[in-house]
Amino acid sequence: MPSELAHRPAIVAPPLWYRDPISCLQSTFGTVLAQHGENPLFVLGAGWEFLYIPDDVRPEEFYYPCRYDGDLGRALAPHHALNSSWWRPADQRDPLRELRRALSEQRLVIAAVDNFHLPFRPAFGDVHAAHLLVVHGLDDELGLIHVTDAMPPAFQGPIPVEDFLRSWGSVNPQDEQDAFFSESRIQQRCLSVTVDAPYPDLTRERLAGWLRANLTGFEQPDTPVGWGGSAGLDRYTRDLVSRARAGETGALQSLYTFGWGMQAQAALHGELLRDRGAAWNCPGLAEAGRAVEGVAHAWTALRMTGAHGFGAPAEVADDLRWHAGVLRRRYAEALASVERAVGEL
Amino acid sequence: MTAIPGPPTEESPYDPVDLTPCFNNTGISPASDTGRGSFNVWGNSFPAESLPSGRAPVTVDGVPFRFPPVGRGNDNVRCAGQFVPVETGRFDWLHLLAAAERRTEDTMAMHFEDGTVDPEWIRVSDFWAAPARFGETKAFETPVMHYPHHVQQGVSALLWAQRVPVTRRADLKGFRLPRNVALHIFAATLQQTAVVASEHSHAQ
């Protein structure tokens, strides 16, 4: 349907926000933050941790380990008042009722979808995969819903409600073409996001506090929730190699999904530190940022080795061990670099 | 080794490196058969129609490369620790046409005639609609991306021109690529060390 025929969406189209290592999780939260006038990098790049929760990884692009009872906003931005909660329609006779109300109150909604049913996604009619997008308008009269999806190919505009409902309610069946993000029911899930903005200005002192808190987190042993900090990283990577050597495909399947969240977080945190290091003429901070970005880059080799070895885990166990060792060293170097940078702030 | 016959001329300071024996991946496909390519784990590939023809000489940032064969099987090296011997010589840079499945950085090893070995960083940005995170030159950007079953508009595939330094002043005899499946090399050219006219001197 031509967009010029559509009524104006309930909310002014929000900015698209994307970085090449992030997933739809960070891009949708980034879009919501930008709509509130906040710099998504300053918020989503503030925290940095390692957390792996055994048996928790789901085959969804937007999976992220969460220690806060489903509050992904808090997990993504532990130093800001950003919160979120999952919900589903209460009444199937009008599944869009809650969406309509949120939009009428000028609140963006993040919706889970199956790419298979979305005409603007490359996987349309081809591959089932769980994904997130932002809903910013609903036109009941014309039967259109306005969505924002910053992931390439970026799309912003109206789509038929029927397409959205199929995607939103998809069973997302197992798909051989996507072993990582299929076989996870979408179930009309949505995220309500609360942004208690404006946030305080980002200062050297404030950033130093965040960095100290992050460093403390890495030093803490495993948490009741999962395997956390540097000790958790050691435990996770050794367990990964062991399970791969034993031929467990599940270990590699979850590596690709779980690792994406850790990679995205490191990339954003590194970019924030490098960005502020340059802006504040603080070379040590910029170098720390680059070191943290090195963590993100090391995740690439580990994740891709697992993905390409998915059919034969034991055959890639030695390569996984190699790249896991590199990843641990990158974390150690980056943590030491951040610690030095804190002293310069 | 390894030097490809024909251009560049004898005066050229560039020596193309023949990677053909190491080719183990098909990253370029025609629109008529997109399923032939499988650059990444999702089966995406570069569109042949938007790239130079196979074996064509191409120049990026003044550096000549021999483009890989296109449509005749494998066309790039998916890095798996391959050792590439070269005709012994003094070089300053190893220039690459490369792409990566997500941005990645790793180390490769420069091997010298005198038995010394130096690790050097190799850094390549994502091939998927991404900026040059490591300051590479964008060698080729395609208007579409090939999927196993269709041609996708609006998603570009990027082939980067990157370089790796040869810092040791010694004769290079070969290099070993990293064991990193995310990293793909389509072409390589060595840049000879510039001849220095004057002897080393210092003020008295």
Side-chain angles (χ1 to χ4, degrees):
Chain A
M1 173 113 17
S3 60
E4 60 268 24
L5 294 180
H7 293 172
R8 295 179 65 180
I11 301 175
V12 174
L16 297 160
W17 195 75
Y18 173 68
R19 294 290 192 278
D20 66 89
I22 69 173
S23 77
C24 59
L25 177 64
Q26 291 83 16
S27 74
T28 50
F29 272 87
T31 292
V32 174
L33 286 162
Q35 195 249 3
H36 280 81
E38 297 293 331
N39 183 335
L41 182 65
F42 287 11
V43 181
L44 300 178
W48 184 38
E49 67 169 352
F50 179 87
L51 177 63
Y52 173 73
I53 304 175
D55 303 320
D56 183 59
V57 182
R58 296 179 303 279
E60 298 165 346
E61 180 182 331
F62 46 87
Y63 170 77
Y64 196 83
C66 184
R67 65 174 85 220
Y68 305 114
D69 194 24
D71 186 346
L72 281 170
R74 189 176 174 192
L76 290 170
H79 304 303
H80 292 79
L82 177 69
N83 300 92
S84 68
S85 58
W86 287 105
W87 57 267
R88 295 171 58 197
D91 186 351
Q92 285 303 310
R93 288 172 298 183
D94 184 11
L96 296 173
R97 187 179 63 191
E98 290 88 349
L99 261 174
R100 191 178 298 112
R101 183 188 309 137
L103 295 168
S104 70
E105 296 169 355
Q106 297 292 297
R107 290 185 287 113
L108 296 175
V109 173
I110 298 174
V113 289
D114 176 359
N115 284 332
F116 184 93
H117 300 288
L118 293 176
F120 59 85
R121 291 303 311 172
F124 177 58
D126 186 11
V127 183
H128 290 276
H131 185 63
L132 293 179
L133 48 69
V134 175
V135 177
H136 66 274
L138 173 61
D139 188 328
D140 284 313
E141 186 178 335
L142 290 177
L144 297 173
I145 192 159
H146 296 254
V147 299
T148 294
D149 185 355
M151 298 297 287
F155 175 83
Q156 188 166 55
I159 62 171
V161 166
E162 293 78 14
D163 288 341
F164 176 78
L165 290 174
R166 269 193 296 276
S167 181
W168 192 36
S170 171
V171 296
N172 187 24
Q174 184 178 19
D175 193 322
E176 287 185 358
Q177 295 185 82
D178 192 332
F180 307 109
F181 305 132
S182 65
E183 203 178 10
S184 175
R185 300 174 76 85
I186 305 301
Q187 297 180 306
Q188 297 176 322
R189 281 176 288 169
C190 280
L191 276 168
S192 286
V193 181
T194 304
V195 182
D196 191 7
Y199 298 131
D201 290 341
L202 178 53
T203 62
R204 289 174 182 244
E205 294 73 24
R206 185 160 285 113
L207 180 59
W210 297 345
L211 298 183
R212 288 191 196 94
N214 295 341
L215 291 169
T216 299
F218 271 98
E219 291 170 0
Q220 290 174 342
D222 294 352
T223 71
V225 177
W227 303 351
S230 295
L233 170 68
D234 285 350
R235 184 175 179 183
Y236 170 72
T237 50
R238 295 183 200 290
D239 179 73
L240 169 69
V241 174
S242 174
R243 292 174 64 193
R245 205 174 296 288
E248 286 188 41
T249 56
L252 304 193
Q253 189 175 24
S254 62
L255 164 63
Y256 190 84
T257 308
F258 160 70
W260 198 347
M262 296 294 99
Q263 180 173 31
Q265 181 200 51
L268 294 178
H269 186 59
E271 182 180 343
L272 170 64
L273 269 53
R274 193 168 43 73
D275 174 87
R276 289 299 87 192
W280 296 339
N281 194 24
C282 186
L285 184 62
E287 291 160 18
R290 181 60 180 86
V292 177
E293 288 179 314
V295 170
H297 305 154
W299 270 108
T300 292
L302 186 66
R303 290 181 64 220
M304 297 310 153
T305 297
H308 286 281
F310 183 63
E315 293 180 12
V316 296
D318 284 345
D319 282 341
L320 288 171
R321 184 176 62 177
W322 171 266
H323 289 299
V326 171
L327 182 67
R328 289 195 294 268
R329 289 195 294 278
R330 294 287 172 269
Y331 267 99
E333 292 162 2
L335 287 165
S337 187
V338 170
E339 193 170 355
R340 280 195 299 271
V342 171
E344 295 180 15
L345 283 173
Chain B
M1 154 161 170
T2 84
I4 297 171
T9 65
E10 287 184 5
E11 293 78 26
S12 171
Y14 298 103
D15 295 349
V17 178
D18 184 8
L19 297 174
T20 308
C22 300
F23 282 170
N24 59 356
N25 176 258
T26 305
I28 304 171
S29 66
S32 58
D33 187 11
T34 58
R36 189 191 299 175
S38 188
F39 176 84
N40 65 357
V41 73
W42 306 103
N44 298 118
S45 53
F46 288 78
E49 294 78 5
S50 303
L51 294 173
S53 57
R55 293 292 185 190
V58 298
T59 300
V60 182
D61 274 350
V63 178
F65 294 95
R66 181 73 70 181
F67 208 71
V70 175
R72 297 179 182 176
N74 290 334
D75 50 37
N76 73 87
V77 185
R78 172 176 279 158
C79 290
Q82 299 91 341
F83 185 83
V84 181
V86 302
E87 188 171 0
T88 301
R90 293 287 180 103
F91 301 101
D92 284 341
W93 295 101
L94 172 63
H95 296 274
L96 303 168
L97 291 182
E101 188 177 355
R102 301 275 169 190
R103 68 165 103 140
T104 190
E105 56 184 338
D106 211 322
T107 54
M108 57 184 297
M110 298 294 181
H111 288 249
F112 298 89
E113 193 66 26
D114 62 4
T116 51
V117 180
D118 288 334
E120 299 289 354
W121 284 103
I122 174 172
R123 301 182 167 99
V124 180
S125 296
D126 198 346
F127 89 114
W128 182 286
R133 287 289 178 184
F134 299 114
E136 308 101 313
T137 292
K138 189 186 297 178
F140 299 99
E141 180 175 16
T142 69
V144 299
M145 176 80 75
H146 280 184
Y147 275 66
H149 305 303
H150 76 282
V151 175
Q152 177 64 41
Q153 303 292 325
V155 180
S156 60
L158 292 144
L159 189 56
W160 305 102
Q162 180 56 294
R163 59 185 183 175
V164 180
V166 184
T167 56
R168 185 177 294 271
R169 291 181 168 85
D171 289 339
L172 185 75
K173 69 175 184 181
F175 55 85
R176 186 177 294 284
L177 296 169
R179 291 186 68 85
N180 187 334
V181 295
L183 186 56
H184 297 245
I185 312 297
F186 287 77
T189 293
L190 281 161
Q191 181 177 348
Q192 298 162 11
T193 299
V195 176
V196 179
S198 60
E199 294 295 321
H200 174 76
S201 64
H202 59 87
Q204 297 297 315

